[in-house]
Amino acid sequence: ILATGDLASQPIRDAVYGARDFFEWLGHPYYPMGGNHDFVVEESRTWFAEAHGAHLPDGKPYYSFDHENLRFVVIDANWIWSDGRQMPYSQAGTQVIQEDDKERAKWVVPESQLDWLDSELLKQRDRATIVVCHYPAIEVPSRLVRLGMKNAGSLANGTDVISVMRKHPQVRAYISGHLHMNVIEVVDGVTHVVTASLPEYPCEYREFQVHEDRMAVVAR
């Protein structure tokens, strides 16, 4: 299970551990990542590392792993504060902003982590690889924009992430969540897949089947 962030809705320790207990109860291997609802307060990342530590190599929210001959690279983003600083938790009041005015909340993959992503992709250039993050690297395609739609936003430096992936032809897909909508878009040979959420319409998860020559994606 790729748990693509927002595992807990409330920024409290009990919610983080409750989400962990739920995934453990499912009884399947799972790979967690944090989202804007997981990393709200200063203690959030400590709670996340403690709760999901057994699934986080080196206790970090960005990591790589192998599964059935596929390579996965999970990246993590920081918040951008109003003064331009990149911080691991939200600025005071942003909890309200991200609900009422989503376009004012912004996130970025740190430069050091872009370098790490590049080095991870260099390690196994002959192995099909999928990059995963809570936040999409692309904007919502214009064909999907509709009147009254709440656009939760994408990575502020999504083009930089795409530039790194472009250097490595073994990257087949970029999987994310965050938008609570369905998006499948091919950019520079990489298939970007955004999945809607479980608790909000259209209430779904996706099942992936990866073959030598194709990838099948089914909404459940």
Side-chain angles (χ1 to χ4, degrees):
I1 298 173
L2 284 174
T4 54
D6 286 355
L7 309 187
S9 292
Q10 295 178 303
I12 58 175
R13 186 179 184 276
D14 285 351
V16 176
Y17 276 81
R20 188 276 312 272
D21 292 346
F22 171 75
F23 280 105
E24 296 290 351
W25 173 79
L26 288 174
H28 295 280
Y30 76 94
Y31 302 91
M33 58 210 74
N36 50 300
H37 288 285
D38 299 300
F39 297 153
V40 175
V41 298
E42 191 169 356
E43 300 87 355
S44 293
R45 287 174 181 266
T46 299
W47 298 334
F48 193 87
E50 290 173 349
H52 300 286
H55 301 269
L56 300 173
D58 302 322
K60 297 179 179 178
Y62 60 94
Y63 55 95
S64 59
F65 66 93
D66 299 311
H67 178 74
E68 296 192 4
N69 207 35
L70 285 172
R71 184 75 168 163
F72 290 82
V73 182
V74 176
I75 57 177
D76 177 47
N78 280 339
W79 293 79
I80 301 177
W81 283 23
S82 58
D83 60 5
R85 283 185 293 167
Q86 299 179 20
M87 299 294 288
Y89 56 93
S90 72
Q91 189 171 5
T94 308
Q95 302 94 302
V96 177
I97 290 173
Q98 71 176 346
E99 295 302 326
D100 298 339
D101 187 1
K102 294 181 184 296
E103 295 187 9
R104 289 174 58 198
K106 299 186 183 300
W107 306 270
V108 62
V109 176
E111 190 70 30
S112 60
Q113 202 177 132
L114 290 175
D115 293 338
W116 174 84
L117 172 63
D118 190 35
S119 66
E120 283 295 304
L121 295 177
L122 275 171
K123 288 180 181 177
Q124 299 190 41
R125 303 201 71 172
D126 60 342
R127 179 174 249 181
T129 300
I130 295 174
V131 178
V132 192
C133 183
H134 174 66
Y135 308 95
I138 60 172
E139 298 287 343
V140 177
S142 58
R143 70 178 186 279
L144 298 179
V145 175
R146 62 189 186 277
L147 186 65
M149 184 186 81
K150 288 186 177 181
N151 186 350
S154 59
L155 289 172
N157 62 340
T159 55
D160 295 335
V161 175
I162 291 172
S163 293
V164 173
M165 295 192 296
R166 188 186 297 129
K167 295 163 54 180
H168 304 279
Q170 79 273 23
V171 177
R172 306 294 175 81
Y174 180 100
I175 296 174
S176 61
H178 185 59
L179 291 180
H180 292 208
M181 63 185 296
N182 296 306
V183 180
I184 297 181
E185 186 87 350
V186 179
V187 178
D188 293 337
V190 174
T191 301
H192 292 251
V193 181
V194 183
T195 299
S197 71
L198 282 171
E200 183 176 281
Y201 182 83
C203 301
E204 67 173 32
Y205 64 91
R206 290 193 192 272
E207 184 178 282
F208 290 80
Q209 294 181 357
V210 182
H211 306 270
E212 288 290 336
D213 60 341
R214 69 193 187 281
M215 180 174 67
V217 185
V218 180
R220 299 293 189 185

